Amino acid sequence: MAVAETQLYAKVSNKNRSKSTSVLLESLLAKGFPAHIAQKALAATGQKTIEDAAKWQVPVISKELHSHCNDPSLDDPIPQEYVLYLCPTGRLHDHLQEFWKESKRQCGKNRAHEIFPHITLCDFFTCEDQKVELLYDTLKRVGDSFSQCFPPSISLSLHSSTSYLGFFIGDSHANILKEFALAFSSEASAQADCHVKPCLKQLHLTLAHKFYPHHQKTLEQLAKCINPGETCQWVAALYSRDMRFVHYQTLRALFQYKPQNIDELMINAGDFVYVDPTQQSDVSEGWVIGTSHRTGCRGFLPENYTERVSESDTWVKHREYVFVTASRFFTQTENEPNVKLNGEVHNPSMSRSITNVLSLQNATLRRGVLVMRHGERVDQVFGKSWLQQCLTADGKYDRADLNFPSTLPKRKDSMKHFEYDPPLSCCGVFQSELIGEALLDQGVTVSYVYSSPALRCIQTAQHILQGLKLDQKVKIRVEPGLFEWTKWEASRVIPNFMTVTELAEASYKIDTSYRGNFPLSSLVPSESYEEYVSRSSAVIKQIITACPSKGKGVILIVGHGSSLASFTRPLLGLPARDSSNFAQVVRKIPSLGMCFCEELKEENKWQMVNPPVKTLTHGANAAFNWRNGIVED
């Protein structure tokens, strides 16, 4: 590379740029890659190395691997979408990442968590694959022309509303940034023949967006811990994304999955998968249909093998221009970390300030409500006819598999009523005790326990209390109003639940003196959605009223999948979900899925925060017959 060219790219961070794009392209063509595919691979991987581009393409020419064969857009000239961001580095970046992490922990995820800290300089735009290098040249030239007038530090002032929290850029500095964006837009349009729209409205660095209004005060307190005047080197960074999957959800594979059927998707741990939410309505429970970011293949995969991640995790950083200012040389330390996409950088001073805020918030103990779905029910594993599999000729119970309960509790009426009021499986019992032990490890104190009258819920509550070592101290209050939406009952009638007396005689720790807020006789078969919502709202409010606000523990409510939304949204002051998508939301809630709300008594409202324990994920385990394949052919 000539000296002049070396100087030209002195400030453009492209450490992997060991060869020009033309050399990379020639090398790929020499390996036998088609020209349009080679250019697409270079654009998709940031035009950094032959190895990255070749790895992206290998499945294309290796048809025996069955990769990319099902990608209908492979030969289409669909370009990447590009965007230019101004990103902070150094101590300010560290503080912002700490805010990202802590705000997510306390208030849950909001729109800002989908992308790393940045100031948007232009809208997303497309550029033909063979012209992407011209964007790099444009970034370098425009950056050089503005390097002398770029402000040593950017003026940031905190702005807050009920749905937005962030820093606004001071007018004088914003004008310079707008001029930079306009210059990049004009030259990129002329040189690379692409339409770039610069951001000329109020420039800002978003901290939180589209959050629940009752989280505003907490987010403001956390934001005040950020010193906007901290040491910072600003970087203009060019990113790209696959425009076909902009409105999709992005999942990351936690484990490898090898397809069992031809329509399933092969995934490796760490793979990204794009999922279109509008195409999941007809997919079997526990499965999703998605497209692999790595191979372009599309197929079914088990949802519990994945976790939800941010869309920006799949973005590619192409080049960046570092604005080196005079003051920077006196404040930057040699060991300060560089920009880290979606990274979490620990900063002791920020952690101390965050801790101080948490100490103030927790100065007075708050009530908490933990709403949880029951554990794995036996008919979930063995189907609706599970009881028939376990009844002998004389009508006695004899479990046919080790995941069936070893015994069934005694009840005065027919054992066949268990068919519509099924118990937990043995795995469900184990799950429940595991959750109880995890709550104990986290120091969670449960003061009150309410349960739906369904046997599976009562058993879940019982085994959670055993895991918490509270089964001799806290009793279960059976509340009929906590039963699920009766429209979903297959029998179209209210099940015959075991009575409180029968439950107590079966050694369940039941509060026999408790009288429900909603009598069992008041449950209406096939109730309307409006009736269910009204019942749920009334019951949760009555439970909160019945538990003293001075109580120092958690109110545990064990119900059904529908309980997580129907009992928490009234507390948060949110309207009920639309009935048309309610079932879609509920079907994705796993066994022992949970939501946690805490009371902000000084503000007379509740907020939802992360549950005190992690989720419990497990895989399917099919029945096995030792004869098949071992003894018999």
Side-chain angles (χ1 to χ4, degrees):
M1 187 179 290
V3 175
E5 187 175 356
T6 303
Q7 293 174 344
L8 178 68
Y9 287 92
K11 293 181 184 175
V12 180
S13 176
N14 52 355
K15 297 177 182 178
N16 294 320
R17 187 187 169 90
S18 56
K19 298 183 180 180
S20 69
T21 305
S22 59
V23 174
L24 294 175
L25 181 60
E26 289 171 4
S27 299
L28 293 172
L29 294 177
K31 292 177 180 291
F33 294 104
H36 68 292
I37 298 296
Q39 289 174 334
K40 177 173 285 197
L42 287 169
T45 57
Q47 299 194 6
K48 293 171 183 173
T49 67
I50 296 174
E51 290 73 18
D52 286 346
K55 188 183 295 183
W56 187 91
Q57 297 179 82
V58 163
V60 180
I61 60 174
S62 303
K63 295 298 185 183
E64 70 275 13
L65 297 180
H66 301 289
S67 298
H68 271 290
C69 295
N70 297 323
D71 187 350
S73 64
L74 185 61
D75 293 318
D76 295 340
I78 300 177
Q80 294 277 303
E81 270 193 324
Y82 297 84
V83 71
L84 185 63
Y85 285 160
L86 188 67
C87 302
T89 66
R91 293 174 183 169
L92 178 59
H93 171 265
D94 298 350
H95 285 202
L96 291 169
Q97 288 288 14
E98 192 69 31
F99 172 86
W100 247 246
K101 180 180 177 181
E102 192 59 32
S103 63
K104 187 175 181 180
R105 187 188 74 81
Q106 290 198 48
C107 304
K109 193 172 182 179
N110 62 67
R111 292 283 182 86
H113 292 116
E114 291 291 335
I115 308 177
F116 42 90
H118 69 279
I119 299 171
T120 303
L121 296 178
C122 71
D123 294 344
F124 276 94
F125 62 94
T126 58
C127 180
E128 296 176 32
D129 294 338
Q130 66 271 24
K131 297 181 180 179
V132 173
E133 191 174 13
L134 297 173
L135 294 178
Y136 307 161
D137 297 338
T138 297
L139 177 60
K140 168 65 179 78
R141 283 194 296 272
V142 176
D144 280 349
S145 66
F146 277 81
S147 60
Q148 297 302 315
C149 63
F150 195 86
S153 63
I154 294 179
S155 173
L156 303 174
S157 58
L158 190 62
H159 175 80
S160 178
S161 70
T162 55
S163 63
Y164 175 85
L165 180 72
F167 289 117
F168 280 3
I169 316 302
D171 289 343
S172 60
H173 294 163
N175 289 336
I176 296 174
L177 299 185
K178 290 175 183 179
E179 289 174 9
F180 173 77
L182 190 61
F184 174 83
S185 169
S186 178
E187 187 160 343
S189 299
Q191 298 297 322
D193 193 27
C194 48
H195 177 66
V196 183
K197 182 180 179 181
C199 291
L200 301 178
K201 296 182 180 180
Q202 174 68 62
L203 295 184
H204 54 273
L205 193 160
T206 299
L207 298 176
H209 182 46
K210 297 290 185 182
F211 49 84
Y212 290 129
H214 58 270
H215 286 154
Q216 181 180 357
K217 187 172 182 179
T218 301
L219 292 169
E220 286 177 355
Q221 288 177 315
L222 293 174
K224 289 175 182 177
C225 298
I226 304 172
N227 177 10
E230 272 287 9
T231 301
C232 178
Q233 187 173 26
W234 291 91
V235 174
L238 189 68
Y239 291 92
S240 75
R241 67 183 183 185
D242 193 324
M243 63 187 298
R244 295 173 298 165
F245 305 110
V246 170
H247 300 296
Y248 285 42
Q249 291 178 352
T250 307
L251 306 179
R252 178 166 50 211
L254 299 171
F255 318 102
Q256 184 186 58
Y257 180 75
K258 295 182 178 180
Q260 307 297 311
N261 298 290
I262 194 171
D263 60 352
E264 294 175 1
L265 184 65
M266 170 70 184
I267 55 173
N268 295 326
D271 280 0
F272 292 106
V273 179
Y274 297 112
V275 173
D276 185 352
T278 65
Q279 296 180 357
Q280 307 304 314
S281 57
D282 296 329
V283 179
S284 300
E285 184 174 359
W287 291 78
V288 293
I289 185 168
T291 302
S292 170
H293 173 74
R294 178 174 59 88
T295 66
C297 291
R298 188 168 183 267
F300 294 94
L301 67 151
E303 190 173 16
N304 63 354
Y305 275 52
T306 66
E307 64 176 350
R308 179 82 179 273
V309 294
S310 302
E311 175 208 342
S312 60
D313 286 350
T314 64
W315 292 3
V316 175
K317 182 192 286 186
H318 286 253
R319 300 293 184 269
E320 59 183 23
Y321 187 96
V322 181
F323 288 99
V324 181
T325 59
S327 63
R328 183 66 185 171
F329 293 111
F330 298 100
T331 57
Q332 166 79 358
T333 60
E334 189 174 357
N335 295 323
E336 270 191 27
N338 294 322
V339 173
K340 188 175 181 183
L341 182 61
N342 284 341
E344 293 180 356
V345 184
H346 180 71
N347 184 280
S349 61
M350 180 63 175
S351 297
R352 283 194 295 271
S353 57
I354 291 287
T355 302
N356 291 338
V357 173
L358 294 178
S359 298
L360 289 173
Q361 290 177 341
N362 294 324
T364 56
L365 293 172
R366 299 173 177 172
R367 282 192 299 176
V369 175
L370 183 61
V371 183
M372 189 181 304
R373 187 189 179 191
H374 56 75
E376 181 183 86
R377 49 193 278 181
V378 69
D379 60 334
Q380 184 180 336
V381 183
F382 299 104
K384 298 299 181 184
S385 61
W386 68 272
L387 190 58
Q388 299 174 23
Q389 302 173 47
C390 297
L391 291 180
T392 61
D394 57 356
K396 294 183 179 180
Y397 177 81
D398 179 33
R399 68 173 175 176
D401 185 284
L402 289 180
N403 201 20
F404 282 108
S406 57
T407 60
L408 293 177
K410 292 182 180 180
R411 55 187 303 165
K412 297 176 182 178
D413 53 15
S414 173
M415 186 185 295
K416 291 186 177 180
H417 287 303
F418 284 124
E419 187 170 281
Y420 296 109
D421 183 24
L424 294 179
S425 66
C426 280
C427 285
V429 170
F430 168 75
Q431 291 172 335
S432 304
E433 290 187 357
L434 189 63
I435 291 293
E437 291 169 0
L439 290 169
L440 179 64
D441 289 342
Q442 293 299 315
V444 176
T445 302
V446 172
S447 299
Y448 305 94
V449 178
Y450 289 82
S451 172
S452 159
L455 178 59
R456 56 192 179 273
C457 298
I458 292 167
Q459 290 178 323
T460 298
Q462 173 89 354
H463 291 290
I464 288 175
L465 285 174
Q466 288 178 358
L468 276 164
K469 302 187 184 305
L470 291 175
D471 51 311
Q472 300 302 318
K473 298 179 180 179
V474 180
K475 292 188 176 182
I476 303 167
R477 296 176 175 180
V478 180
E479 175 54 64
L482 295 176
F483 189 57
E484 66 182 345
W485 187 10
T486 60
K487 178 184 176 181
W488 288 345
E489 281 301 295
S491 62
R492 300 300 178 189
V493 296
I494 305 302
N496 282 340
F497 301 116
M498 291 180 66
T499 66
V500 168
T501 302
E502 288 174 329
L503 291 167
E505 290 175 352
S507 298
Y508 294 109
K509 304 302 180 181
I510 304 298
D511 184 349
T512 55
S513 64
Y514 176 75
R515 297 294 177 264
N517 295 294
F518 201 92
L520 190 60
S521 58
S522 299
L523 286 179
V524 180
S526 300
E527 66 187 332
S528 68
Y529 182 65
E530 291 71 22
E531 289 173 327
Y532 169 68
V533 167
S534 176
R535 163 165 65 92
S536 300
S537 179
V539 168
I540 188 63
K541 290 175 182 177
Q542 290 166 347
I543 288 175
I544 296 302
T545 302
C547 299
S549 58
K550 294 182 180 180
K552 298 181 180 180
V554 169
I555 304 169
L556 172 62
I557 296 176
V558 182
H560 308 266
S562 57
S563 304
L564 272 67
S566 58
F567 297 133
T568 59
R569 291 180 72 87
L571 278 183
L572 301 175
L574 299 174
R577 282 196 170 277
D578 189 271
S579 60
S580 60
N581 64 11
F582 183 65
Q584 297 300 322
V585 172
V586 171
R587 77 178 185 87
K588 294 183 178 181
I589 297 173
S591 300
L592 291 166
M594 64 185 80
C595 288
F596 187 62
C597 297
E598 64 176 10
E599 186 181 30
L600 300 174
K601 190 176 180 182
E602 61 277 9
E603 300 177 31
N604 193 30
K605 55 186 173 183
W606 293 75
Q607 67 175 357
M608 187 175 288
V609 296
N610 284 340
V613 297
K614 302 294 185 181
T615 57
L616 173 63
T617 306
H618 61 88
N621 192 54
F624 172 68
N625 188 326
W626 56 269
R627 290 188 177 87
N628 297 337
I630 307 299
V631 178
E632 300 174 355
D633 293 331

